[in-house]
């Protein structure tokens, strides 16, 4: 095993912690507050941020949409450049924080920001970012990943850079009291799949990574059972487990999968399916199609997470249990639940995967377009 691990994001966790940002952003910085469609205006978060920023020079950019688009974000880049902004404060869920990462990197690049997503430009500098998380799901608040869409071409592509890790993230579990149930459930499912993408591969002699991954999976399943009766501890544990699911720790030194995410992104880009729900459609089918290569880890997960006895059918029972977990949260796991004409949908998704060179996905790069087609055919 060989790896380099650094997570430079400072976490301020707990109720009332938004006030701490005045100790985290230097007073001489001109701040841009970036946010989404307005939920922060209705739940008191905007007021808390304004109060904490008293004495700073700051301005705002509103309207970053779920699955943020380059069309909207380029307007924020222009504002950052013309106002000479020094620091970007993202206040929102994964979409706003991902958007902030794009804006921070694009502001330091003279070319077309979309080059960052196509790989034509490798990020070599970015403005500093702080994050106030309002939706526990993506882990974006303390990782170097970002996923950006282009409306014009129905594309949704990721980029990673060590330059866009937020300097700090505020995780106040109280701010999620206003979340609609649909978004709470999305967060649970997204975090669960993030752990699976790093854990559910093949045995890699990594008991530390495996053991922590199993703890996170068990925690998320337990939280799912009480999704209708959240209390302070419930909200805090969801926030912390979603963060830990994708802050790099459980993935250090092991080969990952991520095929579910890459196929899922195409479903979102083409049909607007919520990110987490795209994963719930793809993953159970992917696990069945990739059964042989994943059998050992599925069996391990069955025993250590679901408490199954070791047996010939443990791995299959594990896939059923994962699917049942999503269904227990009322998350559909079939493509046809979203898109009536299955064949047309599949051929469009495959052609987008091909355009994006997503032709050798998964931990063994064994998911070719033919395999993706099989996965989609079975996700009926
Ligand atoms: O825009 P506002 O008005 O704020 O409303 C949002 C939005 O409509 C609302 N919301 C957020 N916090 C709220 C709230 N409503 C009430 N109370 C609150 N406290 O929730 C809606 C969805 O928000 P969004 O940020 O889109 O959700 P999420 O956090 O699930 O982010 C999804 C995006 O993150 C990307 C996804 O692809 C998707 O674009 N991902 C980013 C990753 C990363 N950077 O590491 C990894 C993930 O796998 C994922 O791909
Ligand atoms: Zn995800």
């Amino acid at each position: 095993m060989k790896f380099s691990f650094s997570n430079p994001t400072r976490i301020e966790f707990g109720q009332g912690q938004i006030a701490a940002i005045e100790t985290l952003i230097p007073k001489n910085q001109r701040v841009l507050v970036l946010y989404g469609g307005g939920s922060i205006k209705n739940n008191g978060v905007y007021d808390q941020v304004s109060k904490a920023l008293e004495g700073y020079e700051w301005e705002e950019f509103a309207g970053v949409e779920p699955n943020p688009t380059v069309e909207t974000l380029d307007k924020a880049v222009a504002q950052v450049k013309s106002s000479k902004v020094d620091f970007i404060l993202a206040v929102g869920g994964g979409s706003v924080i991902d958007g902030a990462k794009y804006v921070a990197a694009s502001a330091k690049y003279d070319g077309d920001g979309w080059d960052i997503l196509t790989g034509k430009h490798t990020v070599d500098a970015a403005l500093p970012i702080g994050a106030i998380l309002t939706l526990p799901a993506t882990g974006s608040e303390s990782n170097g990943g970002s996923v950006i869409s282009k409306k014009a071409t129905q594309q949704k592509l990721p980029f990673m850079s060590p330059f866009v890790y937020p300097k700090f993230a505020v995780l106040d579990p109280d701010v999620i009291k206003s979340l609609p149930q649909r978004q709470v459930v999305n967060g649970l499912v997204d975090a669960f799949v993030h752990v699976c993408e790093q854990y559910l591969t093949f045995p890699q002699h990594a008991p530390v990574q495996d053991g922590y991954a199993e703890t996170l999976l068990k925690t998320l399943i337990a939280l799912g059972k009480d999704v209708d009766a959240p209390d302070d501890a419930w909200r805090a544990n969801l926030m912390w487990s979603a963060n830990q699911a994708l802050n790099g720790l459980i993935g250090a030194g092991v080969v990952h999968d991520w095929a579910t995410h890459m196929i899922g992104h195409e479903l979102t880009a083409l049909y607007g399916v919520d990110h987490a729900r795209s994963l719930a459609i793809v993953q159970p089918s992917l696990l069945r199609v990739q059964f042989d290569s994943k059998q050992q880890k599925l069996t391990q997960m069955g025993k250590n997470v679901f408490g199954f006895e070791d047996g010939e059918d443990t791995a299959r029972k594990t896939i059923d249990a994962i699917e049942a977990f999503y269904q227990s949260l009322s998350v559909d796991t079939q493509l046809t639940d979203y898109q009536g004409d299955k064949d047309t949908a599949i051929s469009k998704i495959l052609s987008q995967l091909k355009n994006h060179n997503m032709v050798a996905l998964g931990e063994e790069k064994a998911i070719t377009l033919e395999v993706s087609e099989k996965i989609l055919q079975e996700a009926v």
Side-chain angles (χ1 to χ4, degrees), residues 152-375:
T153 48
Q154 291 187 302
Q155 285 174 293
K156 181 172 189 189
L157 296 173
F159 79 93
M160 305 276 293
S161 168
F163 293 98
V164 299
Y165 274 81
K167 302 289 171 215
F168 65 82
V170 177
L171 276 61
D172 175 350
D174 270 359
V175 309
I176 69 172
K177 284 181 179 165
S178 58
L179 271 177
Q181 187 75 341
R182 177 182 185 88
Q183 298 298 346
V184 175
V185 163
N186 283 354
L188 269 170
V189 170
D190 194 20
F192 189 88
V193 180
H194 291 161
V195 180
C196 293
E197 298 273 32
Q198 298 162 88
Y199 163 85
L200 215 41
T201 53
F202 51 84
Q204 299 186 49
H205 311 289
V208 174
Q209 292 90 325
D210 280 4
Y212 195 21
E214 287 161 1
T215 296
L216 292 170
L217 292 170
K218 281 192 283 193
T219 304
L220 291 164
I221 291 167
L223 292 170
K225 295 204 167 93
D226 293 328
V227 72
D228 293 322
D231 57 12
D232 284 353
W234 192 96
R235 283 185 284 271
N237 285 313
L238 175 61
M239 231 175 188
W240 189 228
S241 40
N243 175 273
Q244 294 292 290
L246 198 51
N247 78 338
L249 189 60
I250 59 168
V254 294
V255 179
H256 305 178
D257 182 342
W258 295 111
T260 293
H261 267 72
M262 294 308 124
I263 301 172
H265 286 168
E266 305 297 358
L267 263 74
T268 301
L270 288 168
Y271 301 111
V273 179
D274 290 359
H275 171 64
R277 288 162 201 263
S278 76
L279 308 176
I281 294 172
V282 175
Q283 192 210 26
S285 171
L286 183 142
L287 296 176
R288 292 191 176 103
V289 170
Q290 294 303 95
F291 185 79
D292 289 346
S293 59
K294 290 185 182 286
Q295 184 169 9
Q296 280 177 279
K297 285 305 280 285
L298 281 165
T299 302
Q300 181 180 330
M301 180 170 169
K303 287 193 295 187
N304 295 350
V305 174
F306 290 107
F308 296 151
E309 296 286 322
D310 198 357
E312 254 179 37
D313 61 345
T314 308
R316 295 228 180 257
K317 273 170 51 187
T318 303
I319 302 175
D320 294 344
I322 292 170
E323 195 167 36
F325 172 56
Y326 304 147
Q327 286 164 353
S328 76
L329 298 168
S330 303
V331 173
D332 294 326
T333 54
Q334 292 192 308
L335 183 55
T336 41
D337 289 329
Y338 296 91
Q339 180 53 38
D341 183 2
K342 188 177 116 190
D343 287 337
T344 311
I346 291 176
S347 79
K348 276 194 186 168
I349 296 163
L350 289 172
S351 117
Q352 287 293 60
L353 284 169
K354 192 170 170 209
N355 291 342
H356 301 142
N357 202 25
M358 302 286 176
V359 295
L361 299 172
E363 64 272 19
E364 288 169 331
K365 304 203 183 311
I367 303 183
T368 58
L369 283 183
E370 290 70 33
V371 181
S372 286
E373 181 169 15
K374 194 152 187 253
I375 291 166

